[in-house]
Amino acid sequence: MSYVDEVIERVIRENPNEPEFHQAVKEVLLSLRPVIEANEAQYRRDALLERLVNPERQIKFRVPWIDDQGNAHVNTGYRVQFNSAIGPYKGGLRLHPSVNLGIIKFLGFEQIFKNSLTGLPIGGGKGGSDFDPKGKSDREIMSFCQNFMSELCKYIGADTDVPAGDIGVGAREIGYMFGEYKKIRGMFAGVLTGKGLPFGGSLARTEATGYGLLYITEEALKCRGQSLEGKTVVVSGAGNVAIYAIEKAQQLGAKVVTCSDSNGWIYDPNGIDLAALKQIKEVKRQRLTEYLKYRPDAQYHEGRGVWQIPCDIALPCATQNELGIEDARQLVANGVTAVAEGANMPSTEEAAAYFRAEGVLFLPAKAANAGGVATSALEMSQNSERLHWTFEEVDQKLKSIMIDVYHNIDDAAKKYGVEGDYVVGANIAGFEKVMAAMNAQGIV
Ligand code: NDP
Ligand code: 2IT
């Protein structure tokens, strides 16, 4: 059996009940087959792939917190420090009831290659908890975040591991966690990114993932003699990534007609009212049903359904495996020409394969949403030099990073004879640097 197949089989056997982790490992290792097979004997001898798929460290801890009625609750916290070959572990924290070790491992594994693609010195990690922030008061969120950090603070540091936001973690949560870290460790350090602007946050970090998604899409379209001007765009999600993807898409002349949350979705044929969406989601933390109060002519539907709306470009920005094969077929039948993933692994294996087989421009998550973590690395740079850059400076750097990511994955796909296959291009381009660093550092 080939080395790649052997390691995939072992990952599935040794990590039962972690389907998302299997899915991420399979996608990466199968893409790497030509690179691995060219050096199979050496990689096998050095257990390179076994070292790649086994986290350097995984931390699991108890998080007790107290609700407003005085009752204590216990959730589970995780931090998976996956790979530090090219820099300190870097990656977000997710607070969602679906969080388990397998989900954090899939996200941490993806993060290794994404972070490498940014060209910046950051390793891969991810963390979070099965705590459900929905419907909790500010006090309850604070209690959870403080108790989460009182344990996590033992394992992170500005040169060790630098967490940030993900689903359920935004500026509010990062602020509470930062305060607790500072209190316990007695130091003001750049140990988290996505911080508030008054205490070391970077301008444009809030916008970065969504903006970056559109910058890479714009570049890929430009290379095909196209632009976003006049295009109809379908977006899923209504959180940080979705909101700023909608904002940049609109600025670039596209019309975005949908968004969604976990209860339902909006179809607004006149174009999403971004000010209303921000008010509902960022300020009032309400459900999307509220949108109809601002735009009575829009439609609200329960459940999922954005992929049935005809569009030129689809941007899944909510969560993993939210776009399946039936959705992909519907999108293609309706004439979609480009899909760029704002969320992590939003397309199922089958859906991603179908888009590529149908000649749809498909920009996979680890390239397309790399703008968020890239800007986190820019926040780390600013913290290290104790300076602040302007919005324009950060935004310009973000844009040039995303343009470089596109050309790197495009070149890698061409080099390996699969022009236009950006799943393979991103996996190989991300892997090459990590592999070179791991080889140079010996068997550790
Ligand atoms: P937010 O918490 O801000 O928003 C998440 C959005 O997705 C919400 O609208 C949420 O709806 C919806 N959603 C979450 N889980 C589900 C689910 N199981 N089913 C349906 N809808 C769901 O998170 P972000 O915008 O930060 O993250 C979105 C995606 O982007 C994630 O995959 C994340 O990993 C990825 N990402 C985020 C980056 C960042 O910088 N924040 C960077 C790169 C990737 P509801 O509110 O109802 O739960
Ligand atoms: O998935 C991701 O890249 C993120 N959630 C952002 C991580 C970060 O460290 O900014």
Side-chain angles (χ1 to χ4, degrees):
M1 195 189 280
S2 86
Y3 184 35
V4 163
D5 295 324
E6 218 173 86
V7 174
I8 290 175
E9 200 186 275
R10 204 167 145 189
V11 164
I12 294 172
R13 198 175 60 240
E14 291 177 357
N15 303 269
N17 309 317
E18 296 182 0
E20 294 86 0
F21 181 52
H22 304 166
Q23 186 182 340
V25 167
K26 260 165 59 189
E27 189 218 86
V28 170
L29 295 196
L30 293 176
S31 295
L32 297 180
R33 204 187 275 285
V35 186
I36 304 297
E37 285 178 355
N39 296 285
E40 183 155 328
Q42 186 216 326
Y43 291 163
R44 201 190 271 274
R45 183 198 66 200
D46 293 347
L48 183 83
L49 293 183
E50 288 86 340
R51 288 186 290 131
L52 194 69
V53 299
N54 278 292
E56 290 176 20
R57 191 173 299 102
Q58 44 193 48
I59 301 146
K60 181 177 176 192
F61 50 100
R62 184 179 78 193
V63 187
W65 58 277
I66 298 177
D67 69 22
D68 290 344
Q69 286 68 49
N71 302 310
H73 301 265
V74 174
N75 286 95
T76 305
Y78 302 92
R79 186 72 184 166
V80 173
Q81 300 181 328
F82 223 119
N83 189 300
S84 61
I86 65 169
Y89 310 106
K90 182 84 197 85
L93 298 171
R94 176 175 291 191
L95 298 184
H96 194 272
S98 64
V99 163
N100 57 40
L101 184 61
I103 299 236
I104 299 299
K105 278 164 67 183
F106 119 65
L107 290 163
F109 186 70
E110 288 285 290
Q111 201 82 43
I112 302 168
F113 308 98
K114 180 196 307 194
N115 292 4
S116 168
L117 283 173
T118 66
L120 300 167
I122 39 179
K126 199 85 189 188
S129 172
D130 57 0
F131 172 77
D132 185 358
K134 236 173 257 154
K136 303 290 190 297
S137 70
D138 269 1
R139 280 281 164 169
E140 291 170 332
I141 297 284
M142 185 181 2
S143 172
F144 175 82
C145 290
Q146 290 178 339
N147 283 294
F148 181 79
M149 183 51 87
S150 70
E151 181 61 24
L152 185 69
C153 74
K154 299 169 187 167
Y155 311 102
I156 62 175
D159 295 309
T160 319
D161 182 358
V162 184
D166 194 80
I167 290 177
V169 176
R172 174 181 60 170
E173 293 73 20
I174 294 290
Y176 292 147
M177 290 183 195
F178 183 78
E180 184 71 7
Y181 182 88
K182 185 162 60 64
K183 180 179 170 185
I184 299 183
R185 308 296 280 191
M187 64 171 109
F188 194 107
V191 69
L192 292 160
T193 59
K195 298 184 291 298
L197 296 179
F199 53 98
S202 174
L203 286 160
R205 174 62 188 90
T206 304
E207 294 83 355
T209 312
Y211 278 23
L213 178 67
L214 271 295
Y215 291 147
I216 194 168
T217 305
E218 186 188 28
E219 183 65 14
L221 291 177
K222 194 171 130 198
C223 292
R224 288 158 176 77
Q226 298 171 32
S227 79
L228 279 144
E229 185 71 45
K231 297 282 193 307
T232 299
V233 177
V234 158
V235 169
S236 65
N240 173 262
V241 179
I243 287 174
Y244 293 95
I246 295 171
E247 181 163 288
K248 186 52 75 179
Q250 291 180 343
Q251 287 172 10
L252 293 171
K255 188 203 238 186
V256 183
V257 293
T258 66
C259 61
S260 64
D261 64 17
S262 51
N263 296 115
W265 56 286
I266 292 290
Y267 175 47
D268 190 341
N270 297 317
I272 293 291
D273 179 342
L274 189 64
L277 186 62
K278 285 186 180 179
Q279 189 66 19
I280 294 163
K281 287 295 178 186
E282 293 189 329
V283 181
K284 297 188 171 160
R285 299 180 189 275
Q286 293 169 324
R287 309 310 301 161
L288 268 184
T289 40
E290 296 295 312
Y291 186 85
L292 297 184
K293 294 191 181 145
Y294 299 79
R295 301 275 276 213
D297 293 339
Q299 300 170 20
Y300 175 81
H301 301 273
E302 290 287 333
R304 51 193 301 287
V306 296
W307 311 126
Q308 73 198 41
I309 301 297
C311 64
D312 303 302
I313 298 172
L315 304 175
C317 296
T319 193
Q320 64 274 1
N321 293 327
E322 56 163 313
L323 196 166
I325 183 65
E326 289 311 320
D327 304 315
R329 288 210 177 96
Q330 176 88 68
L331 281 163
V332 170
N334 287 340
V336 76
T337 57
V339 177
E341 297 186 320
N344 283 308
M345 206 167 75
S347 310
T348 62
E349 267 174 280
E350 272 183 302
Y354 185 74
F355 287 133
R356 287 141 73 204
E358 293 294 315
V360 173
L361 164 63
F362 181 72
L363 293 166
K366 61 173 72 66
N369 72 30
V373 75
T375 307
S376 278
L378 300 179
E379 182 171 326
M380 290 165 71
S381 301
Q382 294 168 77
N383 292 166
S384 297
E385 61 175 17
R386 303 200 189 286
L387 291 174
H388 261 307
W389 304 340
T390 63
F391 187 95
E392 289 69 29
E393 196 174 350
V394 180
D395 189 37
Q396 197 47 53
K397 284 187 164 70
L398 165 64
K399 189 169 182 178
S400 80
I401 289 167
M402 297 312 293
I403 291 174
D404 287 349
V405 170
Y406 173 72
H407 289 286
N408 286 340
I409 66 174
D410 189 51
D411 290 347
K414 284 179 181 146
K415 184 171 147 196
Y416 284 90
V418 285
E419 184 166 354
D421 187 333
Y422 300 126
V423 171
V424 173
N427 286 328
I428 292 182
F431 172 71
E432 278 182 332
K433 183 171 158 191
V434 175
M435 172 192 60
M438 286 176 73
N439 281 334
Q441 292 169 24
I443 318 276
V444 289

